[in-house]
Amino acid sequence: MKTIIVVGNGMVGYKFCEKFVAKANSDQFKLIVFGEEPREAYDRVHLSEFFEDGNADRLSLAPRSWYDENDITLCTNERVINIDSTNKTIDTSKGNTVTYDQLVIATGSVPFVPPIRGVEKKGVFVYRTIEDLEETLAYAETIKGGKAAILGGGLLGLEAAKAVMDMGLEANVVEFAPKLMPRQLDTRSSKVLQVKLESMGINIHLSKATNQILGNGKITGMEFGEDDMLDVDMLVISAGIRPRDELGKSTGLAMGTRGGIIVNNKMQTSDPNIFAIGEVALYNEMIYGLVAPGYEMAQVAVDQILEEKETVMASSIDMSTKLKLIGVDVASFGVPFMPTAKGHSIIFENKTQSLYKRINVSHDGKKLLGGILVGDASDYNMLLQLYQNEMPLPENPEALIIGSRGEGEASFGSAMDLPDTAVVCSCEAVTKGAICCSVLEDGNETVKAVAKDTKAGTGCGGCKPMVVDLITESLKTIGKTVKERICEHFDYSRQELFDIVKLREVDNFDELIDLAGSGHGCEVCKPAVAAIFASIYNETANRQNTIQDTNDRYLANIQRNGTYSVVPRVAGGEITPKQLMALGRIAQKYDLYTKITGGQRIDMFGAKLHELPLIWEELIKEGFETGQAYGKSLRTVKSCVGSTWCRYGMDESVSFAVEIEHRYKGIRSPHKFKGGVSGCIRECAEARGKDFGFIAVEGGWNVYVGGNGGANPKHAELLAEKVDKETAIKYVDRFIMFYIKTAQPLQRTAPWLDKLEGGITYLQNIVINDSLGIADELDREMQALVDSYKCEWKEAVETPEIRERYTHFVNSEETDNNIEFVSLRDQKMPKQWA
Amino acid sequence: MITTLNMYQTVLPEAVNIWFKAAHISKFPKNGGACIKYKDKQIAIFNFARENTWYACQNLCPHKMEMVLSRGIIGEENSEPKVACPLHKSTFSLKTGDNLNGTLDPIATYPVKIENDFVYVGFSE
Ligand code: SRM
Ligand SMILES: Cc1cc2nc3c(=O)[nH]c(=O)nc-3n(C[C@H](O)[C@H](O)[C@H](O)COP(=O)(O)OP(=O)(O)OC[C@H]3O[C@@H](n4cnc5c(N)ncnc54)[C@H](O)[C@@H]3O)c2cc1C
Ligand code: SF4
Ligand code: FES
């Protein structure tokens, strides 16, 4: 049996293994992999997602068991330090010597750290491995609210800037060139991107050469020139990559003048038994800092070693890229900027919307040569396909970027028009033909199933929209339509299910799934159905507690250590001193962490399951009721102090907020909903950031709907102007009821209104002009909900069978000994996750 | 933490040498779960009333090492019975313990039997 050693267990090294073991004759080889990093290969492309939850497992490309199952020996934490190409052996940092028949070098690259004075100071980081991120995060903790700089305004630098901002630091991007992303963008698009990033709070410093890192031991600033300095507490360097080619050098392999191990189109180095793939390989005098070419190299190396196919690397490699920075779309493909001698460019720019689109078209107008998209890259996939497959362009190529005039219609056919050979997923090299075949011949009808079958969309994920289109369109050709179904158990949309429940008067899950579904349900359909029951019958979460989402099931929000939080309602944010004292007393008695929430009320954290009924019993005695912070239901109605105290107030906003909060409390809906009432147009209650909002103006109230904070903030739209309070309430009643009946599960009012055909005008017609003739019905349904409110915590506390649920063990009085708290500024918090 | 995780090893029906009498069936909500304590172990037991079957697994979610699985929603995916962790919705097969929607390590599962309206969990030690 021959032995193949892979040096490096990064993205490309892993891909080599994956492709290798998939081959039939691979069992005649022994595969040994050495990786210097402590963990098995992970998805470096999505490294930034590590900041979201610190979950390294989620990035893993395959668990360790996968290597075992495929008979691959994986040695992590073990660096290859020497190759003896004459005796065909390698030595490792752990003192092992292993013989190989063929060797694959996949050692990737390291961030380039420019030789600037002071780079060794504390607080200077690079951005490449999970360990880099952990160190950066730990340091960021120590400089909370401080300033950070990113050296380098390229693709990676901007991604790092966003990450730094998400850590709560001020982000400053320092770029040597006079523009951002100099390799991919032209001057104008770069400017558009800059303005957009600045509006997001990222500071951009261009044409800056850093001379020195300032600070005594740890970084305090950067010096660019005399009197030109920037104070920063942290620096992330992202100034390009350098291949990790030291093994190539020491082994005497042919090297590029500026580094990189030279390979031919078979991925062979100057020693035919040694291959190099990924970011360490210099092919066509280039290092390709992207996964797609690396994966292709892995495939070529596998085929060459197994001598199965004479696959070689293509001579030109596509470097098209789309930035996955959240918040701005940026993409460039083909030749992004081009001399006029080669073709002509069509440019569309809208400064107020931070939009820039450019396509480069051949002189005869027949072929797309490349382009740039900033602000809206939704057409990227399609344009890339047109370019890669050299497809004929429409008569007016400008339609490709400014859209055909007909609304919603794509200006260039559908994804189905692509040739079958078109590579749709470039990370995994999956063609359109393979995707359609997976749908039509192998019966895979969902994105998940197709991804499992073909791997399409499992890399960077950029091709997903196109994969979805191809699946939908393929299904259409065989007469199947894809509809919004809740999950595998119900072949209905939420709206359809809502109607079924209502018409057939079903009121329990078992009956509904027997009637309208199949199987036994899951964590997706159960809470969705629970919300429908609640919206129709206003039943509390206590009755069918096991179909509720976790928080509803125990009427409390679960926290990171499995304890819960308690949030009583404080309508409109108005609270008496006596109530405040009661909250203080109870929180102290049960040793709870207290905090004022963003919703103008008080949250008490750290209650153990069995303590919840005890705490609520005391709160209810003091006159409190549930705040439903756990439910998909009304949360809070934020108020400003209004005309009772404020010198500008036009009307009593607190009174209105209190009234409306009591009106809608307890109502369950597809997602949570929130309100706001401001006493004047200064808008201190941020009413336009809420699902519904009222603003007092001269002559009445303005009514706004469909606002949202959260990840995609959106201002609410004006539904009616200068109406009296009763009318305002009536309109919002109808709006909420209509939303409850027609939205998707977990769809808030903003995205719902966005998707509503006809938008706000259509809504106004229904709510104000009763264009559908359903206003009466909506009014009645809303009133029924308002009239049947009851505090579900009161119900729980007073009902012994419900109270019994609040125990950690059903066979012991003991409590969960896994819960640990540590102290935090005179209070406490859960022990951090490992 | 790791030592707690190691405490939980799948027990196959044929390996059971202790049937622990956990609690009366009325203590377990229909189509839901509850947690029991056996020596140092926390075991989540699920009552799939619709199918008239019972499953047991470790209460510890391997994602963040919290004792929460018994409070998760149960259900089934392609006929595989599963539980969804209440914290981040990782789902685990209650037959094999495999993480169905990710790459977490499998959880340990235990045999359950019902006798005279009492729930018994099987251990091997
Ligand atoms: C406690 C609180 C933060 C705080 O300490 O201030 C909070 C805490 C949580 N928020 Fe929030 N949000 C809180 C105010 C807000 C606000 C501010 C506001 O209400 O004015 C917003 C933005 C406004 C908005 O909703 O549009 C907000 C937008 C979100 C979102 C994003 C929603 C969206 O549509 O994009 C989520 C995620 C979700 O619901 O899917 C979320 C989810 C959560 C969850 C439920 C996350 C979770 O599942 O554990 C947190 C649970 C809290 C708990 O255990 O009690 N929270 N959250 C605030 C409780 C307010 C209250 O009194 O009830
Ligand atoms: C934050 C970030 C975002 C990115 N985003 C994108 C993107 O959107 N699109 C895209 O196409 N690309 C992106 N990339 C680039 C992509 O991650 C790389 O192209 C890819 O990881 C290259 O794979 P590789 O296997 O060649 O190198 P690596 O993934 O770096 O793997 C090399 C491995 O070899 C190990 N090693 C090195 N020397 C030795 C030795 N002597 N012995 C043993 N082991 C050794 C290293 O420790 C490393 O684990 C991004 C990169 C980063 C850091
Ligand atoms: S409270 Fe809201 S913003 Fe804060 S961490 Fe939780 S979900 Fe995120
Ligand atoms: S703790 Fe269970 S999924 Fe995160």
Side-chain angles (χ1 to χ4, degrees):
Chain A
M1 192 183 259
K2 285 188 173 175
T3 303
I4 297 177
I5 292 181
V6 181
V7 188
N9 185 225
M11 295 192 77
V12 174
Y14 164 75
K15 186 55 67 176
F16 177 87
C17 297
E18 188 192 288
K19 298 214 184 249
F20 195 87
V21 297
K23 296 278 176 173
N25 56 344
S26 62
D27 51 4
Q28 292 153 26
F29 294 82
K30 173 79 201 126
L31 205 53
I32 306 175
V33 182
F34 291 96
E36 175 198 41
E37 293 189 62
R39 61 193 93 229
E40 68 273 20
Y42 53 89
D43 183 356
R44 209 178 296 289
V45 168
H46 291 103
L47 192 62
S48 297
E49 285 172 19
F50 181 75
F51 288 119
E52 279 167 26
D53 56 2
N55 181 359
D57 291 342
R58 229 184 37 180
L59 293 178
S60 172
L61 292 172
R64 201 164 264 277
S65 53
W66 179 85
Y67 295 87
D68 297 340
E69 282 157 22
N70 288 293
D71 283 330
I72 301 173
T73 310
L74 172 64
C75 315
T76 46
N77 238 332
E78 186 160 3
R79 188 159 58 90
V80 172
I81 50 172
N82 184 43
I83 301 172
D84 176 346
S85 58
T86 335
N87 295 314
K88 299 224 250 177
T89 60
I90 56 113
D91 301 321
T92 76
S93 55
K94 290 192 179 159
N96 293 317
T97 302
V98 190
T99 314
Y100 66 81
D101 291 291
Q102 272 149 324
L103 185 76
V104 179
I105 303 181
T107 48
S109 65
V110 280
F112 169 60
V113 178
I116 301 171
R117 203 144 37 103
V119 279
E120 73 294 340
K121 290 198 173 32
K122 256 182 144 171
V124 181
F125 299 95
V126 292
Y127 197 78
R128 176 93 194 165
T129 63
I130 289 183
E131 285 68 32
D132 292 338
L133 261 61
E134 280 171 347
E135 284 171 25
T136 314
L137 267 176
Y139 196 81
E141 275 295 299
T142 65
I143 52 160
K144 274 211 173 117
K147 287 172 78 166
I150 292 83
L151 190 68
L155 216 58
L156 262 182
L158 296 182
E159 192 176 317
K162 178 69 171 43
V164 157
M165 201 166 76
D166 291 343
M167 286 179 221
L169 303 176
E170 181 191 300
N172 292 276
V173 174
V174 177
E175 167 60 50
F176 177 73
K179 63 179 186 189
L180 290 172
M181 294 182 65
R183 290 217 278 167
Q184 292 88 357
L185 299 185
D186 57 15
T187 310
R188 276 167 79 181
S189 54
S190 184
K191 187 78 203 161
V192 171
L193 174 63
Q194 182 183 347
V195 171
K196 177 74 197 177
L197 291 174
E198 282 168 345
S199 77
M200 287 166 59
I202 298 178
N203 301 325
I204 313 284
H205 311 266
L206 298 175
S207 308
K208 296 275 186 222
T210 311
N211 292 337
Q212 205 190 146
I213 309 287
L214 305 170
N216 187 2
K218 68 176 186 198
I219 179 169
T220 56
M222 298 163 75
E223 188 192 271
F224 308 120
E226 232 181 300
D227 298 330
D228 189 4
M229 275 175 291
L230 181 68
D231 289 339
V232 292
D233 310 302
M234 187 173 104
L235 174 66
V236 179
I237 296 182
S238 174
I241 53 170
R242 288 291 177 269
R244 278 202 65 179
D245 55 9
E246 61 268 16
L247 284 174
K249 251 181 250 163
S250 60
T251 315
L253 299 176
M255 306 288 290
T257 36
R258 293 176 53 219
I261 303 177
I262 295 179
V263 291
N264 59 17
N265 63 1
K266 298 176 174 172
M267 293 299 116
Q268 268 165 329
T269 64
S270 53
D271 176 338
N273 288 318
I274 303 182
F275 292 76
I277 55 178
E279 286 185 346
V280 71
L282 189 74
Y283 175 62
N284 274 348
E285 293 170 25
M286 271 269 287
I287 293 287
Y288 299 89
L290 295 173
V291 282
Y295 283 6
E296 224 177 308
M297 293 177 181
Q299 180 70 60
V300 171
V302 166
D303 289 344
Q304 288 294 339
I305 291 174
L306 291 177
E307 292 171 346
E308 227 194 16
K309 273 193 266 171
E310 218 2 61
T311 336
V312 294
M313 199 68 188
S315 56
S316 84
I317 289 175
D318 188 39
M319 290 292 281
S320 306
T321 35
K322 191 169 157 198
L323 188 65
K324 50 191 188 311
L325 192 75
I326 318 129
V328 209
D329 272 6
V330 180
S332 82
F333 60 96
V335 193
F337 21 86
M338 174 190 66
T340 39
K342 279 189 141 179
H344 62 268
S345 304
I346 302 170
I347 295 177
F348 170 78
E349 182 172 354
N350 182 334
K351 283 210 172 95
T352 53
Q353 290 179 5
S354 298
L355 214 59
Y356 178 92
K357 298 181 180 188
R358 164 178 180 163
I359 48 170
N360 305 321
V361 179
S362 62
H363 279 308
D364 59 10
K366 292 222 170 92
K367 268 193 294 182
L368 190 58
L369 303 174
I372 297 172
L373 302 167
V374 175
D376 171 15
S378 51
D379 293 337
Y380 170 71
N381 283 314
M382 223 31 215
L383 290 171
L384 184 63
Q385 291 297 337
L386 289 178
Y387 155 71
Q388 283 176 341
N389 298 295
E390 305 194 351
M391 291 168 72
L393 300 184
E395 215 166 299
N396 306 311
E398 69 263 24
L400 292 176
I401 49 172
I402 47 186
S404 58
R405 310 284 167 224
E407 211 162 296
E409 234 176 273
S411 45
F412 38 90
S414 86
M416 291 304 267
D417 297 341
L418 296 171
D420 275 352
T421 51
V423 176
V424 170
C425 169
S426 50
C427 296
E428 295 286 347
V430 188
T431 60
K432 176 207 157 196
I435 294 171
C436 295
C437 174
S438 172
V439 178
L440 298 173
E441 277 159 38
D442 305 332
N444 296 307
E445 303 192 348
T446 60
V447 179
K448 212 167 143 191
V450 171
K452 208 165 172 190
D453 182 32
T454 63
K455 295 204 133 245
T458 55
C460 71
C463 62
K464 268 217 184 113
M466 201 165 236
V467 175
V468 172
D469 278 357
L470 286 173
I471 297 173
T472 319
E473 293 299 317
S474 303
L475 285 175
K476 267 192 203 155
T477 62
I478 50 170
K480 290 196 181 178
T481 48
V482 209
K483 59 176 183 179
E484 318 247 18
R485 63 198 296 230
I486 292 198
C487 68
E488 68 177 69
H489 303 106
F490 288 97
D491 209 1
Y492 294 104
S493 69
R494 179 180 179 278
Q495 185 173 353
E496 288 167 333
L497 213 51
F498 192 98
D499 291 340
I500 293 173
V501 169
K502 188 145 195 198
L503 290 171
R504 306 288 290 261
E505 297 181 3
V506 188
D507 72 349
N508 78 69
F509 182 81
D510 284 343
E511 201 184 323
L512 184 67
I513 196 163
D514 290 339
L515 175 79
S518 63
H520 306 290
C522 67
E523 76 280 5
V524 176
C525 59
K526 285 181 176 180
V529 167
I532 293 177
F533 290 148
S535 294
I536 295 178
Y537 307 115
N538 216 10
E539 75 174 41
T540 67
N542 290 324
R543 193 172 79 88
Q544 302 182 60
N545 65 317
T546 54
I547 60 167
Q548 310 290 337
D549 228 328
T550 326
N551 287 350
D552 280 293
R553 176 165 173 192
Y554 294 103
L555 308 179
N557 298 58
I558 195 164
Q559 303 298 323
R560 51 191 303 149
N561 61 352
T563 63
Y564 289 86
S565 74
V566 174
V567 193
R569 187 164 301 290
V570 176
E574 185 181 73
I575 187 163
T576 64
K578 183 164 168 286
Q579 284 178 311
L580 272 175
M581 282 189 279
L583 288 182
R585 180 184 62 75
I586 294 167
Q588 194 165 38
K589 175 165 167 191
Y590 291 93
D591 190 21
L592 303 175
Y593 166 91
T594 53
K595 173 179 183 300
I596 311 282
T597 72
Q600 293 190 330
R601 50 189 184 173
I602 293 163
D603 202 340
M604 302 181 266
F605 296 84
K608 297 194 176 146
L609 194 57
H610 71 276
E611 293 175 323
L612 286 171
L614 305 171
I615 295 170
W616 275 105
E617 193 159 42
E618 296 203 31
L619 287 168
I620 289 166
K621 232 180 254 158
E622 296 284 354
F624 286 102
E625 57 186 345
T626 177
Q628 249 136 359
Y630 46 81
K632 301 298 171 225
S633 53
L634 178 78
R635 293 294 170 83
T636 60
V637 179
K638 185 170 179 171
S639 74
C640 72
V641 65
S643 64
T644 46
W645 292 90
C646 177
R647 62 195 163 137
Y648 293 117
M650 311 282 296
D651 209 329
E652 281 186 42
S653 42
V654 182
S655 311
F656 196 179
V658 172
E659 178 183 343
I660 203 80
E661 183 160 342
H662 283 306
R663 182 170 180 80
Y664 297 144
K665 69 185 174 190
I667 293 177
R668 282 196 151 71
S669 46
H671 205 314
K672 62 186 168 196
F673 64 106
K674 303 178 177 183
V677 187
S678 279
C680 83
I681 204 69
R682 284 170 195 75
E683 249 282 77
C684 299
E686 299 173 310
R688 291 192 63 202
K690 304 283 183 264
D691 299 85
F692 64 89
F694 304 113
I695 299 176
V697 290
E698 189 75 56
W701 294 92
N702 281 359
V703 183
Y704 295 86
V705 295
N708 207 158
N712 292 303
K714 189 172 167 255
H715 269 148
E717 295 183 57
L718 185 65
L719 181 74
E721 238 174 324
K722 288 189 201 169
V723 291
D724 60 25
K725 207 159 89 178
E726 287 62 44
T727 313
I729 294 176
K730 185 155 70 182
Y731 290 166
V732 171
D733 277 3
R734 291 174 183 170
F735 153 73
I736 293 172
M737 208 58 228
F738 187 56
Y739 157 71
I740 288 178
K741 296 175 82 157
T742 56
Q744 304 284 346
L746 298 181
Q747 184 178 41
R748 280 195 69 180
T749 60
W752 169 79
L753 186 54
D754 234 24
K755 288 266 154 66
L756 190 69
E757 234 168 280
I760 186 78
T761 325
Y762 178 64
L763 187 66
Q764 279 166 333
N765 267 327
I766 296 171
V767 163
I768 303 173
N769 309 327
D770 194 14
S771 59
L772 294 183
I774 55 168
D776 279 349
E777 186 188 332
L778 296 175
D779 290 346
R780 248 183 295 115
E781 286 167 334
M782 177 54 85
Q783 197 56 46
L785 291 181
V786 173
D787 292 341
S788 55
Y789 168 79
K790 56 173 173 281
C791 169
E792 53 201 351
W793 257 117
K794 187 156 185 288
E795 179 182 65
V797 167
E798 289 171 354
T799 318
E801 305 85 81
I802 301 177
R803 263 187 103 127
E804 249 180 44
R805 297 172 189 162
Y806 291 87
T807 160
H808 188 75
F809 297 111
V810 291
N811 67 335
S812 157
E813 299 280 288
E814 285 172 57
T815 59
D816 181 4
N817 59 1
N818 190 47
I819 296 177
E820 271 181 76
F821 290 104
V822 295
S823 64
L824 169 79
R825 291 181 296 278
D826 299 333
Q827 299 199 62
K828 65 171 183 184
M829 61 176 260
K831 189 167 168 259
Q832 285 290 353
W833 279 328
Chain B
M1 279 297 177
I2 296 302
T3 48
T4 8
L5 191 58
N6 288 343
M7 276 168 51
Y8 299 97
Q9 301 291 343
T10 291
V11 174
L12 296 171
E14 53 273 21
V16 173
N17 56 12
I18 294 167
W19 281 105
F20 173 64
K21 184 174 180 182
H24 192 263
I25 51 169
S26 62
K27 296 277 187 183
F28 302 88
K30 292 210 166 83
N31 301 307
C35 179
I36 63 121
K37 186 160 191 158
Y38 170 66
K39 296 189 181 163
D40 288 343
K41 293 191 175 76
Q42 298 197 15
I43 306 293
I45 300 181
F46 301 100
N47 174 4
F48 280 64
R50 280 178 61 83
E51 292 129 284
N52 202 14
T53 38
W54 294 70
Y55 295 98
C57 68
Q58 66 190 54
N59 195 31
L60 185 72
C61 179
H63 176 214
K64 293 294 178 189
M65 304 297 162
E66 299 297 352
M67 290 291 187
V68 289
L69 290 180
S70 64
R71 297 178 217 164
I73 299 182
I74 56 170
E76 129 263 2
E77 180 176 330
N78 302 323
S79 307
E80 185 87 359
K82 63 171 178 177
V83 59
C85 176
L87 281 173
H88 310 99
K89 295 271 151 69
S90 290
T91 52
F92 301 92
S93 160
L94 289 170
K95 277 201 178 135
T96 62
D98 285 342
N99 178 200
L100 300 173
N101 60 351
T103 55
L104 293 169
D105 288 335
I107 55 172
T109 58
Y110 299 84
V112 185
K113 69 172 181 185
I114 311 295
E115 260 171 34
N116 299 327
D117 286 350
F118 269 86
V119 178
Y120 293 79
V121 191
F123 293 97
S124 162
E125 39 196 55

